[in-house]
Amino acid sequence: MQTIEYIIKASEYTAFAYFSMSCLYVFVFAVAGHFYTKREVVKNSIENKIAVLIPAYKEDAVVVEVAKSALQQKYHSDMFDVVIIADSLQQETLKQLSKISVKVVEVSFEKSTKSKALNAAMETIDSNYDYAVVLDADNIMEDDFLYKMNIAFNNGFQIVQGHRKAKNMNTSFAILDAASEEINNQIFRKGHSTFGLSSGLIGSGMGFDYTLFKTMMKSVKAIGGFDKELEFKFAEKKITIEYLQDAIVLDEKIEKSEDFSNQRRRWLSTQFVYLHRYFRKSWKELFLNGNINFFDKVWQLTIPPRILLLGITFLVVIIYFFLVFGFGFKTNVPFSLWLANLLIVVSAFLLALPRSFYNSNTLKAILSLPTAFFTMFMLLFKLKGANKNFIHTKHSALKN
């Protein structure tokens, strides 16, 4: 009996410590994001040669319009090329692309991945570029995006993550996805920049020193989450990732629950894969090399995805409430402490959410949170094999 009580007690304390750490982490960086200021920059007239790389796997519905939009930059046309990496595109799509001023690199793989596509393209095109910008096939750059990225490059930053914003918020899931992106921008990009830590990469809307990127990508074999693998490679070399809040690229948000499930399954799998791969190394990097950025990148992976963190904390509070006030149980961790965790994480997300989301549409979308949480929770038991196959999220045609 004593053994059982000890196990229950230890489990309660461990769970509380873990969720307290997670809630406090997001809260601290959510607050810090409000003190984010763009680093002082020196503008100059040097225009670097930029390759805009757009991997497009079966993205016939959007890639032509995206390619046309990418050419509309306030940046000298001779100083950037739009490179469409055509993986399994239809002949009609390729024909349309041939009529506009973009470079098309056709690739084909037994098992397609974004890292394979990028590596194949960089082996094919000329290497006379100073920097590379990577977009998804649904991304739309604001017309000054390359101009602002170029300023950051000229100020010595080798890696720059732009501000990815929602292109559409036409369904509840799209609003939730957009809100999640902005919360992550606040915590993992603005908040981290405030403390002088490296910004997180998102997978698109990001720029790199071309030679560095090409060299690093050669060793990237990721099925999914190639941006995470790059984060660790850069962190290991103590290269800081800069974040530009005002360099905006629009990204299509998922509209349906099934797309949400596919996307989050891929993300969850990536989180567990890299946590397992780098957890031990993170402690060595911290204590032997003083590499706080590398340690922080791994520490982020120990924290549950935001929907799971909020949902599980809320459920625990409900359970404790009934145990304590309904059945008179005496818990090892007081109910008030779990309630404090819930208030901390809710406050963090409210602080991180831009004011533009404070409207009736967001309130309606919140009603979909239980569905999103349940979907995410069930995905924890369906991760087997997710990191062995490329899980593609299809994008719809652009709507004006």
Side-chain angles (χ1 to χ4, degrees), residues 5 133 183 186 333 379:
E5 289 178 357
V133 165
I183 287 171
Q186 175 82 2
V333 177
L379 287 175

Side-chain angles (χ1 to χ4, degrees), residues 156-169:
F157 297 109
Q158 292 178 283
I159 311 155
V160 182
Q161 174 63 62
H163 179 185
R164 204 169 69 177
K165 291 181 67 174
K167 181 167 59 179
N168 62 303
M169 291 199 289

Side-chain angles (χ1 to χ4, degrees), residues 23 78 152 183 201 217 250 255 263 280 296 326 367 369 373:
C23 294
D78 291 339
I183 287 171
L201 293 176
M217 280 300 299
L250 303 178
E255 298 178 359
Q263 185 188 71
R280 289 184 181 179
D296 177 67
L367 297 176
L369 268 178
F373 167 73

Side-chain angles (χ1 to χ4, degrees), residues 173-203:
F173 270 96
I175 293 171
L176 290 180
D177 197 15
S180 176
E181 179 109 277
E182 291 296 355
I183 287 171
N184 286 340
N185 283 335
Q186 175 82 2
I187 295 169
F188 298 108
R189 281 165 273 284
K190 291 171 68 177
H192 276 66
S193 294
T194 299
F195 282 116
L197 294 170
S198 204
S199 165
L201 293 176
I202 320 175

Side-chain angles (χ1 to χ4, degrees), residues 354-366:
R355 293 295 172 264
S356 59
F357 281 83
Y358 283 62
N359 54 53
S360 59
N361 288 331
T362 302
L363 286 175
K364 292 176 184 176
I366 288 174

